[in-house]
Amino acid sequence: QNNEHPASKSQEVLFKKVAYLLEDEHQLIQKDDKIRNFLYPLLDKAISNGNIEYIFDKVLKLSDESLEKFHHLLEKTDLENVVQFASIVADKTEFLDFLHELTYGDISKHLKERSQLHKIVEDELWLFGENYNGTPKLWSDKKIGNILTELRDKHFNYEPTEEDKNLIEVNNDGLNDITDLFFFNEKITDSGVREIMVVELKAPKCTISEKELNQINRYAFTIERHSALPSEKVKYKLVLISSKLTKFAKSQTKSRRETYPDNPFLYEKKTEKNIEVYVMEWSELIEQ
């Protein structure tokens, strides 16, 4: 550390990212402070002098092909924009790693976070498509919200059982106390249509089976037939997601998705109202 301030925000971000990559690769802090104290000022000087190519070629060992792509990129945009974009991508990648841990890792260490998963996800709506980038958590229509909540409680409130083949055996570490979660969000699309998205997150012990598929179908059908829910210039997007799908559910989703090859995870579309139903595993969404 020193008392000098970076010349620009982009230089500061770039330094932090490169330092993180170096530390991740070589564990300089754990091994030898002398090496770190020698290397980091050189890195800072190289960035200040604009020797970006040297950093990528000699320090990060960027391949010739990647370096060539970087040159072409700099011809089209400013370095600051490149760095800011890279920072956003890095933040999203870190979030996906965190999300994978919450849904498939040692969840017992994150019980509080897992029980508030809907609060986490509703602030990261880009998970459900790039068209949600920068979309805020938003809900204003209490009347529609109350109806959707009432219908959701009617169709989804139950305990998974071995008989329904939708029960995942988990260790007795408190996970069984975590219930299903859901949230809804609204936005105005580019075409001026009001989109209402309802996300149903199943508990860790509940796999998506024939029963859950029937539930989301009944939920969609009830919305379609409900006279108090608007149909003009309104799109309903229902998302059913869990850590695992049964073989039956995978078979059903695979055949349905083949009907909509250009729309990942789309399970069904209604016609009397603009309703789309999506069914997926967390691992699929994270990979996408």
Side-chain angles (χ1 to χ4, degrees):
Q1 295 182 358
N2 56 45
N3 294 325
E4 296 180 8
H5 296 286
S8 70
K9 183 65 177 178
S10 63
Q11 288 185 12
E12 180 182 1
V13 173
L14 182 59
F15 178 87
K16 288 180 180 179
K17 294 300 177 184
V18 174
Y20 172 80
L21 291 172
L22 284 171
E23 184 60 38
D24 187 55
E25 179 69 24
H26 302 291
Q27 290 83 46
L28 298 177
I29 294 177
Q30 297 178 21
K31 290 181 179 178
D32 195 335
D33 278 347
K34 291 181 181 179
I35 297 176
R36 181 169 54 90
N37 292 337
F38 173 76
L39 181 59
Y40 281 9
L42 286 179
L43 176 63
D44 185 42
K45 196 72 173 177
I47 294 174
S48 299
N49 293 337
N51 295 326
I52 307 300
E53 182 176 344
Y54 175 82
I55 294 171
F56 287 144
D57 185 29
K58 301 298 184 183
V59 180
L60 296 181
K61 305 296 183 183
L62 204 64
S63 68
D64 291 340
E65 181 182 359
S66 296
L67 196 58
E68 185 67 23
K69 289 181 180 179
F70 182 74
H71 279 304
H72 288 312
L73 186 60
L74 286 183
E75 291 175 359
K76 300 177 181 179
T77 186
D78 294 332
L79 175 61
E80 187 162 354
N81 293 332
V82 175
V83 173
Q84 288 175 350
F85 176 76
S87 179
I88 292 171
V89 172
D91 289 342
K92 289 185 176 181
T93 301
E94 290 173 7
F95 175 78
L96 290 177
D97 291 339
F98 169 65
L99 181 62
H100 190 275
E101 281 299 310
L102 287 182
T103 51
Y104 292 101
D106 187 5
I107 310 178
S108 61
K109 294 180 181 179
H110 305 283
L111 280 181
K112 181 178 180 181
E113 290 88 346
R114 178 55 185 85
S115 66
Q116 295 296 319
L117 183 57
H118 63 309
K119 297 294 184 183
I120 297 172
V121 173
E122 67 183 359
D123 286 328
E124 307 287 345
L125 294 180
W126 54 268
L127 284 166
F128 301 101
E130 59 182 285
N131 55 312
Y132 292 99
N133 266 326
T135 299
K137 176 175 57 180
L138 181 64
W139 189 259
S140 60
D141 197 322
K142 291 185 178 180
K143 180 181 178 182
I144 293 179
N146 290 337
I147 294 174
L148 292 175
T149 302
E150 180 183 345
L151 297 181
R152 185 263 179 182
D153 291 341
K154 176 181 177 182
H155 291 295
F156 283 103
N157 269 358
Y158 81 105
E159 284 292 319
T161 64
E162 291 184 9
E163 181 181 354
D164 289 329
K165 298 179 181 180
N166 58 359
L167 178 63
I168 299 176
E169 293 296 331
V170 294
N171 296 327
N172 187 22
D173 56 5
L175 288 178
N176 282 317
D177 296 331
I178 301 174
T179 61
D180 297 342
L181 309 166
F182 95 111
F183 68 88
F184 35 76
N185 184 79
E186 64 177 346
K187 63 174 288 190
I188 304 298
T189 66
D190 293 338
S191 58
V193 174
R194 178 186 183 193
E195 181 188 274
I196 298 174
M197 179 169 67
V198 181
V199 181
E200 175 75 19
L201 308 98
K202 305 308 292 182
K205 63 181 177 180
C206 183
T207 185
I208 294 177
S209 68
E210 181 178 7
K211 182 159 189 168
E212 283 69 33
L213 296 180
N214 289 335
Q215 286 175 325
I216 195 72
N217 272 330
R218 288 198 302 270
Y219 187 49
F221 174 75
T222 308
I223 291 175
E224 184 181 37
R225 306 299 300 176
H226 204 293
S227 60
L229 293 175
S231 58
E232 293 296 321
K233 290 190 175 182
V234 176
K235 175 181 179 180
Y236 298 88
K237 183 174 182 178
L238 312 181
V239 179
L240 175 63
I241 185 168
S242 186
S243 298
K244 184 179 179 181
L245 273 69
T246 63
K247 291 182 179 179
F248 177 87
K250 283 186 176 181
S251 175
Q252 291 290 302
T253 54
K254 182 180 179 181
S255 61
R256 297 291 187 92
R257 289 174 185 178
E258 290 174 353
T259 309
Y260 313 106
D262 298 328
N263 203 341
F265 315 129
L266 182 58
Y267 181 71
E268 187 174 357
K269 295 180 73 171
K270 298 294 184 182
T271 55
E272 291 195 23
K273 285 180 182 174
N274 188 356
I275 302 174
E276 294 181 350
V277 179
Y278 294 80
V279 179
M280 68 196 76
E281 291 181 344
W282 278 115
S283 58
E284 291 181 306
L285 186 62
I286 291 172
E287 181 180 0
Q288 180 76 13

